Amino acid sequence: MEWKLLHRHHPGLRPAGLVDTLKLARNTGVAAPRGLGALLDRFDLRGLVGELVPDGRPHRALWDTVGAAVLLQHLAQDFPEVPTVGKLLEQGEVPVGAEPDEATLF
């Protein structure tokens, strides 16, 4: 679920960490456009998301969540070295204590 929406409905929620897949893609040098659908298409991952969510579609919570998870896994595997959680957060962290801006999933 998108952090901005989740925070609006559950303002007291304080997750241990959030990774913004858009920010991660930007900071790892992926060229624009960097929207979820564009990134899934660029890395040929849309079909996998469709297999995992056969009745889903883009911009619906489950489809977008699965798409972000598949994308995160792909971006993590594309790191020049084996990424640690710390490295992923260094490149794509969303500050949990701050008001959410336009962060993407996780």
Side-chain angles (χ1 to χ4, degrees):
M1 180 176 259
E2 185 181 83
W3 172 234
K4 186 176 182 179
L5 178 64
L6 185 61
H7 182 75
R8 186 179 319 132
H9 290 283
H10 303 283
L13 184 67
R14 294 289 180 252
L18 298 169
V19 175
D20 179 346
T21 52
L22 172 62
K23 186 175 178 182
L24 183 62
R26 183 183 311 121
N27 287 337
T28 55
V30 175
R34 295 186 201 96
L36 181 59
L39 289 168
L40 291 172
D41 289 340
R42 175 174 297 136
F43 298 118
D44 198 27
L45 298 170
R46 189 180 288 264
L48 175 58
V49 176
E51 289 174 24
L52 295 170
V53 189
D55 294 328
R57 63 182 192 266
H59 308 293
R60 303 300 298 170
L62 181 59
W63 195 96
D64 284 359
T65 300
V66 171
V70 167
L71 177 61
L72 177 60
Q73 180 182 13
H74 178 83
L75 292 172
Q77 289 173 343
D78 214 27
F79 260 65
E81 74 275 350
V82 176
T84 62
V85 171
K87 285 283 186 192
L88 290 173
L89 289 174
E90 185 179 293
Q91 295 298 317
E93 182 174 27
V94 175
V96 176
E99 278 295 310
D101 55 7
E102 294 193 27
T104 57
L105 304 174
F106 304 101

